[in-house]
Amino acid sequence: MLRKYIVLVGGTILLNACQPSPTFLAPASPIANHEASLYTIVLNMALVVFILVEGALVWIVIRDRKRAGDEKLPHQLHGNMRLEVVWTAIPILVVVVLFVMTVQTVNAVAQPAHLKSDLNIRVVGHRWWWEFDYPDLGIATANELHIPVDTTVQVALESVDVIHSFWVPQLSGKTDVVPGQHNTMWLTSDQVGEYLGQCAEFCGTEHALMRFKVFVDSQADFDAWVANQQQPAYQPQSEDEQAAYKEITGACAACHSIDPAEMDTDKVGPNLAHLFSRTTFAGGAFDLNESNLRSWLKDTQSMKPGNDMQITVPSQQLDQIIAYLIHLK
Ligand code: CUA
């Protein structure tokens, strides 16, 4: 039993060590900087308190242990006014300091009342993937958000099913994504890079596989990305591609659009217009490459049990469809 437990815990730690996971300890935005520094201060204060209290405890236990020949009670301190005042006053002081610093941080990271945003994004939570719409640019994409560096981004958050939570630890705190409610938050980053995001509110079986990425691009890279996303989806050339196109705009269209401007809120699955411009799929769960996509289309349920894609692509169409999808760059 114990061995099983050790293997389980050890395995989990090892697995986590291999998987990149979102961290707030490497902040890449002014907002996350404020949050990380408050965390560091609180952690250090807690560490000092822990060492002092546990150190005093150990010291007293050793110093005042019962020795051979000890018959009387040790010296009693009950009712010592000076001690009572000291150990009441210190915790109050600590809590007041923490309260003041927390309020300062909350004010510093709060969305300004009159936010002058340079970019508006709509985030829609679906079980279990993220829809990212750029209403002003006519772009609908999924699971990978692109924003330009040093830009103030206004994010509107909606959900079509249950409560999710949008969290990019290196850029910002969490904001809940609630059905029937329009929450907003703001994002900005001063460091070009790729940041992991994760749904932070338990939303069902595949909550853990509701991930996403945020790419903070240079302005030039962002403009190039936008220009590409605004292009219509690749048009079929060969006969095989025609057949795949017919299927994707036919049966698949019940759940997926390949119109890059179609905000998919009423669709069950992500927009595929520029699928292969992304690095991951299925809610950021898997690397996007031909072999993973093939496994997915053969049996989505074994890769991500419970997801809404309950169909299997027949093997005679599989090659055609994959060959076409790969062109959707
Ligand atoms: Cu969506 Cu957890």
Side-chain angles (χ1 to χ4, degrees):
M1 179 64 201
L2 183 66
R3 238 178 76 184
K4 241 189 200 167
Y5 181 74
I6 291 171
V7 168
L8 191 72
V9 171
T12 311
I13 291 170
L14 273 179
L15 260 178
N16 281 329
C18 301
Q19 279 247 331
S21 44
T23 172
F24 63 93
L25 290 173
S29 82
I31 302 170
N33 250 324
H34 282 293
E35 292 166 348
S37 47
L38 177 63
Y39 171 84
T40 311
I41 294 169
V42 172
L43 183 72
N44 286 330
M45 283 171 72
L47 208 63
V48 169
V49 169
F50 178 82
I51 290 170
L52 288 179
V53 171
E54 295 304 310
L57 181 70
V58 170
W59 176 61
I60 288 166
V61 163
I62 293 173
R63 192 195 65 173
D64 295 340
R65 69 190 181 280
K66 188 174 167 74
R67 295 182 172 83
D70 274 355
E71 292 308 330
K72 284 188 300 184
L73 279 176
H75 173 58
Q76 297 296 298
L77 284 173
H78 180 73
N80 185 314
M81 186 59 116
R82 193 189 289 171
L83 269 183
E84 297 281 352
V85 169
V86 167
W87 64 43
T88 305
I90 291 178
I92 289 177
L93 195 70
V94 169
V95 170
V96 168
V97 169
L98 287 180
F99 175 75
V100 170
M101 286 191 312
T102 304
V103 170
Q104 282 174 339
T105 306
V106 167
N107 284 336
V109 304
Q111 184 174 305
H114 302 286
L115 182 70
K116 211 192 126 318
S117 84
D118 306 308
L119 180 65
N120 294 308
I121 290 172
R122 190 171 65 134
V123 167
V124 185
H126 294 254
R127 282 195 297 179
W128 291 278
W129 61 280
W130 295 94
E131 174 184 341
F132 298 134
D133 297 334
Y134 298 68
D136 306 330
L137 302 173
I139 295 172
T141 183
N143 302 322
E144 296 190 1
L145 187 67
H146 284 252
I147 62 172
V149 72
D150 293 324
T151 300
T152 306
V153 183
Q154 166 94 60
V155 184
L157 303 132
E158 294 164 31
S159 168
V160 294
D161 37 50
V162 298
I163 302 176
H164 305 276
S165 182
F166 181 85
W167 188 34
V168 199
Q170 283 175 277
L171 300 185
S172 181
K174 301 165 188 167
T175 306
D176 275 2
V177 183
V178 184
Q181 190 172 314
H182 295 272
N183 285 351
T184 60
M185 67 181 290
W186 67 304
L187 278 180
T188 180
S189 174
D190 45 14
Q191 286 173 45
V192 168
E194 182 184 324
Y195 306 104
L196 292 172
Q198 169 73 50
C199 177
E201 177 76 35
F202 182 71
C203 54
T205 331
E206 298 299 345
H207 156 69
L209 292 188
M210 188 167 168
R211 301 187 201 133
F212 59 101
K213 282 183 185 176
V214 177
F215 292 88
V216 176
D217 299 329
S218 67
Q219 188 65 48
D221 285 351
F222 179 75
D223 293 342
W225 178 82
V226 168
N228 182 58
Q229 297 294 314
Q230 288 173 332
Q231 294 296 315
Y234 170 81
Q235 287 302 303
Q237 312 289 326
S238 67
E239 225 166 82
D240 275 0
E241 286 174 10
Q242 295 277 6
Y245 184 79
K246 216 176 134 204
E247 192 65 23
I248 289 165
T249 51
C252 305
C255 301
H256 296 281
S257 172
I258 59 164
D259 172 357
E262 188 175 340
M263 315 285 162
D264 288 335
T265 309
D266 56 340
K267 297 262 188 192
V268 174
N271 192 307
L272 301 178
H274 297 286
L275 174 67
F276 264 83
S277 69
R278 313 202 271 263
T279 61
T280 55
F281 71 105
F286 311 104
D287 286 339
L288 182 54
N289 55 46
E290 193 180 333
S291 88
N292 279 349
L293 192 62
R294 185 174 295 273
S295 313
W296 175 257
L297 293 176
K298 273 186 184 162
D299 185 5
T300 73
Q301 294 301 317
S302 71
M303 286 174 79
K304 194 169 173 179
N307 86 79
D308 274 335
M309 193 161 169
Q310 306 272 2
I311 58 130
T312 302
V313 177
S315 51
Q316 64 270 31
Q317 284 167 347
L318 193 62
D319 288 333
Q320 279 179 342
I321 286 182
I322 288 176
Y324 176 73
L325 288 177
I326 284 173
H327 285 294
L328 299 177
K329 297 239 166 78

